[in-house]
């Protein structure tokens, strides 16, 4: 395992052949005066699995929303070197976003929920349904196309939400504490399934969590964050090989990695 300091300007100049998104000096001050983020430098490479780990209120969701383009930074830059840009030079990366709550439309089926982003893109009906069916299969919900959200468990609803994010074939999947409300067994299963989807599709993943255990299990890289103002205090590479499974979760290596990351988080909280 390597412990890396926050990415420096020099590293950005030399590194990003595979960079998907590069944040430099990102700051966010809300209208209330809260300085939610300051001086965030982060490069996310194509195919990476990066967790943003930190205590509640350190700006993880704000950072994820800035990457998603849902809110604008008050200072700093966000570049998508490989994405399509329009005539005005604005980047249009293909994004999938998974919120803490599944946010499904209760009045319609799983397949139609998943197909919604395609409908908004103007994709023809038959293709929409084919792609929604394939995305549901990808998250382990083959056969549930016609199910309504009320008939699904919490874990299944979250799977539908992930399928909806995948159906547009995004370059980057942004997940904001998606499994926090689930029981532990369901959460472990979804962790495994998310890793399988990541490996199968090659999608880049940014995953927000406050769980050391979850971040170590999933990630290739963890950006540890501290609060007031929100910032990245350390980046930690988790070099354990994939596929990771229950044997890894119960290994001495995993326990040692969790201890190291916990210590970094404690440092960040004390900083
Ligand atoms: P985390 O995801 O790590 O829990 P957030 O990004 O949600 O942290 O919030 C970081 C800080 O910004 C917190 O102090 C929070 O209260 C504040 N904040 C978040 N969203 C808003 C908003 N829309 N308006 C004002 N303050 C906000």
């Amino acid at each position: 395992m390597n412990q890396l300091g926050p990415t420096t300007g020099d590293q950005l100049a030399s590194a990003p052949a595979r960079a998907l998104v590069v944040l430099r000096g990102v700051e966010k001050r809300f209208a209330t005066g809260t300085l939610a983020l300051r001086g965030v430098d982060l490069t996310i490479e194509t195919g990476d699995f990066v967790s943003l780990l930190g205590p509640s209120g350190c700006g993880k969701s704000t950072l994820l929303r800035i990457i998603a383009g849902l809110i604008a930074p008050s200072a700093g830059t966000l570049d998508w070197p490989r994405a399509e840009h329009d005539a005005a030079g604005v980047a249009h990366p293909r994004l999938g976003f998974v919120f803490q709550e599944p946010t499904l439309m209760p009045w319609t089926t799983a397949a139609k929920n998943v197909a919604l982003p395609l409908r908004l893109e103007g994709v023809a009906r038959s293709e929409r349904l084919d792609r929604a069916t394939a995305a549901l299969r990808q998250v382990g919900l083959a056969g549930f196309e016609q199910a309504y959200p009320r008939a699904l468990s919490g874990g299944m609803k979250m799977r539908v939400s992930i399928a909806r994010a995948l159906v547009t074939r995004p370059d980057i999947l942004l997940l904001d504490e998606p499994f926090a409300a689930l029981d532990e067994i369901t959460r472990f299963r979804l962790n495994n399934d998310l890793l399988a989807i990541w490996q199968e599709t090659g999608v880049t993943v940014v995953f927000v969590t406050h769980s050391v255990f979850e971040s170590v299990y999933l990630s290739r890289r963890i950006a540890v964050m501290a609060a007031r103002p929100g910032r990245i205090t350390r980046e930690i590479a988790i070099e354990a090989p994939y596929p990771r499974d229950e044997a890894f979760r119960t290994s001495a290596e995993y326990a040692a990695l969790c201890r190291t990351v916990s210590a970094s988080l404690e440092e960040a909280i004390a900083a």
Side-chain angles (χ1 to χ4, degrees):
M1 185 182 65
N2 288 337
Q3 293 206 355
L4 312 167
T7 314
T8 65
D10 283 353
Q11 284 168 318
L12 287 179
S14 60
R18 286 176 55 78
L20 184 66
V21 56
V22 182
L23 289 84
R24 294 193 190 93
V26 165
E27 180 178 306
K28 179 66 189 180
R29 188 182 287 282
F30 285 106
T32 52
T34 302
L35 185 57
L37 293 172
R38 191 172 67 193
V40 172
D41 294 325
L42 180 68
T43 298
I44 295 164
E45 298 200 345
T46 302
D48 214 347
F49 196 124
V50 178
S51 284
L52 307 178
L53 171 72
S56 185
C58 72
K60 304 181 293 296
S61 291
T62 301
L63 183 52
L64 199 74
R65 280 158 200 266
I66 286 175
I67 296 171
L70 295 171
I71 53 176
S74 6
T77 59
L78 185 76
D79 293 315
W80 295 90
R82 303 156 67 92
E84 270 180 38
H85 288 68
D86 63 23
V90 178
H92 294 281
R94 296 189 69 80
L95 302 160
F97 200 100
V98 178
F99 296 91
Q100 288 177 19
E101 299 296 327
T103 59
L104 304 179
M105 300 179 292
W107 58 84
T108 192
T109 62
K112 286 195 176 155
N113 268 284
V114 171
L116 178 67
L118 300 178
R119 192 168 164 193
L120 299 175
E121 278 185 7
V123 174
R125 190 168 182 277
S126 64
E127 183 183 341
R128 282 199 314 258
L129 288 178
D130 284 352
R131 283 171 62 181
T133 302
L136 283 167
R137 189 178 325 116
Q138 208 165 23
V139 299
L141 286 182
F144 287 89
E145 294 78 11
Q146 300 311 317
Y148 282 78
R150 63 175 174 274
L152 302 174
S153 68
M156 290 162 98
K157 284 185 201 148
M158 189 44 78
R159 285 172 193 274
V160 175
S161 173
I162 294 171
R164 183 181 53 196
L166 288 170
V167 79
T168 56
R169 302 178 187 133
D171 300 321
I172 188 164
L173 187 59
L174 305 163
L175 302 105
D176 190 357
E177 300 211 41
F179 309 143
L182 303 175
D183 67 81
E184 206 169 12
I185 297 293
T186 305
R187 185 175 180 151
F188 286 177
R189 284 203 189 117
L190 278 160
N191 283 168
N192 289 339
D193 292 349
L194 178 61
L195 284 182
I197 289 166
W198 171 63
Q199 293 208 283
E200 194 181 300
T201 60
V203 68
T204 307
V205 176
V206 183
F207 188 93
V208 164
T209 181
H210 57 250
S211 163
V212 168
F213 304 107
E214 189 170 45
S215 68
V216 171
Y217 188 72
L218 294 172
S219 319
R220 286 190 58 228
R221 213 148 54 90
I222 300 173
V224 179
M225 294 183 67
R228 284 177 291 281
R231 61 206 186 276
I232 295 175
T233 53
R234 192 176 283 263
E235 288 185 31
I236 301 174
I238 304 294
E239 287 172 350
Y242 294 92
R244 294 182 187 164
D245 54 17
E246 296 315 311
F248 174 59
R249 206 190 278 284
T250 50
S251 68
E253 181 189 16
Y254 176 68
L257 288 165
C258 289
R259 272 197 299 278
T260 305
V261 173
S262 262
S264 292
L265 189 58
E266 272 166 35
E267 262 173 41
I269 291 169

